[in-house]
Amino acid sequence: MVWWQLVNNAEIAAISSTTALQRERISVSVLKFGGTSVKNLARIQHVAEIVRDRLTAGAKILVVVSAMGDTTDYLLKLGSQCAKSPDRRELDSLLSTGEQISITLLAMTLQELGIRSRSFTASQIGIFTEKVHSKARIVDINSANLNRALEHNDVLVVAGFQGVTADGDITTLGRGGSDTTACALAAAIGADVCDIYTDVDGIYTADPNVIAEARLLKRVSYGEVIEMARLGAQVLHPRAVELARQYKVRMRVRNTFKPDHEGTVIDEGDGENMEIYRSISGVAVDKDQSCVTIMNVPDKPGIAGRIMQALAENNIVIDMIMQAFHPTAGHNNITFTVHVSDLDQTIKTLESIKDDLDASSVISDPDIAKVSLIGAGLAGQSGIAATIFNSFGAAGINIKMIATSEMKLTCVVSAADADRASKIMHSSFGEEE
Ligand code: ASP
Ligand code: MG
């Protein structure tokens, strides 16, 4: 088997079993700090102090940091000023420099506090990814390197968001990917906990900036957070939580600016009890979505497969696929949603196969939003959909697409209706916790 092949699409298909460490049982915690937490030198100092305060005798800390503040956006902008659609290999190298700045500054600051600390880029420590630019998945981590570095240091500061291919090319894991780096390292090293420090108290039932009634969740299951993140809640990188679930890494989301606040624990949840104490956990809104329709494709076997294949070959992830049932027409429209950043590539791809498929045209709408209700106990509650659709109707909100699964109910509405729709959804479930 080629070692970088992904098994079952899982990130880090195999962490070598020797990993669980020939290390004596030294406890290692992984702490991740996002861009706002390391926005300037004063904040880096603050982060260094949190790390110092958490360092207990004999224990080790692995810190993962994002780029300072909006650095990644700034770098992206620079790149787009040099080329209309910049080469993805070059762009990844450029973007990775943001994290290289923050790790070195934090390592120096920690050293000033008398802590044995060193910074590492992904290629220095060995975070290997597949050969895909801008959204590469991690396939392996060199845990021998990690252990060696931990022998000589008390705190390792590792660059989030970046990886390296077997050929030595720098890759990035997708926006917000530092969370994924943190969870992958926590899994590889067998860490006791992976704390994600950010600028809010934890995970809420909705975005508190939009919905004042949003409540902080003390504890939430991996599955629910994965749904929230996938459906647009700006909580965590969904892949991070997937990794944590797969490798049973206990996660916490905490506030950098209130280090004593307990935040939100993410773990397996209470199994059966989960549904009893809470059927719905939150509302997520994703405004960065667009919908695309390929019109009048022949209604025969194989067509949908060819469309999805073409999109998959271009690494385009689509969602909410909808095909209506036209018993007499002999033709179908196939509609799906796609992230706005993939919209151009999606249209290009569909245009290139349109004639072969005998489809009539490709149309798209970038002004949509996905509004979703998430909860482990949603499946058994058919009345919830009725309540929500009725309330949308009463508020004059048109639902363009609907999708449901065990843990979620998603409606596509126009972007202009998104906030109103999310408020209605949120008020449809009471104060349960
Ligand atoms: N700096 C990267 C970004 O802004 C990665 C991260 O923050 O997690 O997307
Ligand atoms: Mg960021």
Side-chain angles (χ1 to χ4, degrees):
M1 185 187 100
V2 192
W3 70 271
W4 59 83
Q5 260 173 5
L6 293 165
V7 178
N8 290 336
N9 261 355
E11 203 147 359
I12 325 191
I15 290 178
S16 70
S17 51
T18 52
T19 308
L21 300 201
Q22 279 99 12
R23 178 162 61 81
E24 324 92 71
R25 284 304 305 161
I26 300 173
S27 111
V28 181
S29 306
V30 174
L31 315 185
K32 181 259 171 179
F33 293 89
T36 47
S37 303
V38 294
K39 192 174 161 189
N40 53 39
L41 294 181
R43 292 205 174 164
I44 288 177
Q45 179 72 33
H46 177 67
V47 166
E49 286 162 12
I50 293 179
V51 173
R52 178 196 58 199
D53 294 348
R54 294 223 18 202
L55 202 56
T56 50
K60 306 270 183 180
I61 291 182
L62 212 151
V63 183
V64 174
V65 280
S66 297
M68 296 169 74
D70 296 332
T71 305
T72 310
D73 291 327
Y74 168 72
L75 293 169
L76 261 177
K77 205 162 122 199
L78 281 186
S80 70
Q81 284 166 4
C82 293
K84 235 202 285 147
S85 83
D87 182 84
R88 292 188 162 207
R89 175 185 181 277
E90 303 311 322
L91 197 59
D92 272 358
S93 289
L94 173 65
L95 294 187
S96 75
T97 62
E99 273 72 11
Q100 197 164 341
I101 295 174
S102 49
I103 54 169
T104 49
L105 294 175
L106 180 57
M108 289 177 205
T109 310
L110 286 163
Q111 288 167 6
E112 280 297 295
L113 294 176
I115 295 167
R116 292 194 306 162
S117 171
R118 271 189 118 172
S119 71
F120 294 89
T121 62
S123 40
Q124 286 172 321
I125 205 76
I127 300 175
F128 293 100
T129 71
E130 56 185 337
K131 237 178 127 126
V132 171
H133 286 293
S134 87
K135 49 184 159 191
R137 287 174 300 180
I138 299 173
V139 292
D140 196 16
I141 287 182
N142 188 333
S143 36
N145 267 1
L146 270 176
N147 284 320
R148 209 170 308 120
L150 280 171
E151 269 169 37
H152 301 291
N153 297 282
D154 292 323
V155 177
L156 307 187
V157 185
V158 182
F161 177 55
Q162 55 181 261
V164 63
T165 67
D167 308 333
D169 277 332
I170 295 173
T171 53
T172 61
L173 312 182
R175 294 307 303 273
S178 300
D179 293 343
T180 298
T181 307
C183 287
L185 289 170
I189 204 82
D192 297 342
V193 71
C194 180
D195 279 356
I196 306 289
Y197 281 92
T198 176
D199 52 0
V200 293
D201 287 350
I203 298 180
Y204 286 82
T205 52
D207 181 350
N209 296 316
V210 179
I211 299 177
E213 295 78 29
R215 298 185 309 279
L216 184 71
L217 296 165
K218 284 207 176 83
R219 185 177 175 199
V220 60
S221 68
Y222 296 123
E224 287 168 300
V225 181
I226 290 168
E227 287 293 359
M228 288 182 192
R230 278 212 197 109
L231 293 168
Q234 304 286 319
V235 278
L236 292 166
H237 210 227
R239 282 161 48 193
V241 192
E242 265 155 29
L243 271 174
R245 173 163 69 180
Q246 192 182 344
Y247 291 98
K248 302 204 176 356
V249 175
R250 202 168 84 97
M251 294 179 77
R252 287 187 300 197
V253 179
R254 314 185 64 175
N255 193 336
T256 308
F257 308 103
K258 296 185 203 165
D260 295 329
H261 195 293
E262 281 174 20
T264 302
V265 172
I266 308 169
D267 59 15
E268 273 162 338
D270 258 351
E272 289 166 28
N273 289 338
M274 194 103 205
E275 283 188 45
I276 296 168
Y277 87 82
R278 191 173 68 216
S279 59
I280 297 169
S281 289
V283 169
V285 180
D286 188 347
K287 295 180 181 170
D288 294 332
Q289 293 288 321
S290 42
C291 70
V292 180
T293 303
I294 177 157
M295 305 279 291
N296 293 309
V297 291
D299 186 12
K300 61 180 194 199
I303 297 289
R306 281 166 66 191
I307 295 173
M308 298 312 143
Q309 172 90 29
L311 295 168
E313 280 164 6
N314 284 285
N315 287 303
I316 297 167
V317 181
I318 65 166
D319 192 24
M320 290 187 75
I321 307 166
M322 194 168 81
Q323 180 187 283
F325 177 57
H326 296 294
T328 49
H331 283 86
N332 279 323
N333 299 337
I334 297 181
T335 301
F336 51 83
T337 56
V338 65
H339 195 270
V340 276
S341 62
D342 281 334
L343 180 59
D344 287 349
Q345 185 68 36
T346 303
I347 294 172
K348 237 187 265 167
T349 305
L350 294 180
E351 288 288 354
S352 74
I353 57 169
K354 185 187 78 185
D355 291 345
D356 262 7
L357 292 178
D358 240 351
S360 66
S361 59
V362 178
I363 59 169
S364 61
D365 180 358
D367 294 320
I368 60 145
K370 272 191 213 168
V371 184
S372 312
L373 192 64
I374 296 131
L378 204 53
Q381 317 232 350
S382 60
I384 291 179
T387 309
I388 288 171
F389 297 161
N390 277 330
S391 311
F392 280 8
I397 295 171
N398 189 36
I399 307 172
K400 296 171 189 268
M401 293 167 87
I402 299 169
T404 58
S405 76
E406 262 170 48
M407 241 190 243
K408 66 160 195 247
L409 164 67
T410 301
C411 298
V412 168
V413 299
S414 355
D417 289 334
D419 288 350
R420 256 180 346 121
S422 68
K423 278 181 193 147
I424 291 173
M425 260 191 189
H426 193 266
S427 64
S428 73
F429 65 100
E431 309 253 335
E432 284 191 60
E433 210 177 11

